[in-house]
Amino acid sequence: MNNQPRRASGEMEELIDRYQNMVYGLALAKTNSPADADDVFQEVFLACFQSGKIFRDEEHRKAWLLRTTLNISRRYTASTWRRKTVPLSEREDAPVLFREPEENLVWEAVQALDETYRLPIYLFYFQELSTQEIAKALSIRPGTVRMRLSRGRDMLREALKGDLFDE
């Protein structure tokens, strides 16, 4: 009896369990759409499974997943179909819900940021990546990451003034 498919399936389940929040969260931060984030999530793990790639270590695997998530998300946000469709402003996507109301306010404020600031903020605070890791994932310099984090924090502070911060 060949155990190869079962073992590969078990490895994929473990990989998905370990990285599902990172991949889905980054896809959501990049696409700003739960439906697109679901599609990106599936494509990333399918690409990983189909590639048969052997990773040097967990850091290499994590970097590959980050990069692949960004690339697939970019393809979704840059598609001709998406650019030519009119957003359904009446449509309410199911909101991402956290345990505490304050966390929901912060998430909504992060999602309202421009992608330039949203991605570094998400990777730094939600995925706890270092500025070096973020720079590598986004193909920008660490100084640029620090500047975007600083400006993004300022924007969040302003957006949350009165809700979480005193005016």
Side-chain angles (χ1 to χ4, degrees), residues 100-107 160 163-164:
E100 300 298 324
E102 294 83 12
E103 293 174 310
N104 291 319
L105 289 171
V106 171
W107 178 254
L160 295 168
D163 290 324
L164 297 178

Side-chain angles (χ1 to χ4, degrees), residues 59-129:
E59 185 176 323
H60 183 225
R61 180 187 318 266
K62 186 176 181 179
W64 186 90
L65 287 168
L66 284 169
R67 189 85 236 139
T68 302
T69 302
L70 286 169
N71 288 339
I72 292 173
S73 296
R74 190 173 295 120
R75 192 173 70 227
Y76 271 79
T77 58
S79 76
T80 304
W81 178 85
R82 186 173 177 158
R83 284 193 308 250
K84 289 184 178 183
T85 58
V86 177
L88 297 173
S89 55
E90 305 87 43
R91 185 177 138 219
E92 284 289 320
D93 282 327
V96 176
L97 295 177
F98 294 92
R99 279 185 232 123
E100 300 298 324
E102 294 83 12
E103 293 174 310
N104 291 319
L105 289 171
V106 171
W107 178 254
E108 288 171 16
V110 168
Q111 287 299 99
L113 292 174
D114 182 83
E115 180 183 308
T116 302
Y117 305 104
R118 185 174 61 238
L119 291 178
I121 291 282
Y122 173 78
L123 291 170
F124 189 80
Y125 289 104
F126 290 82
Q127 291 302 317
E128 301 177 348
L129 296 184

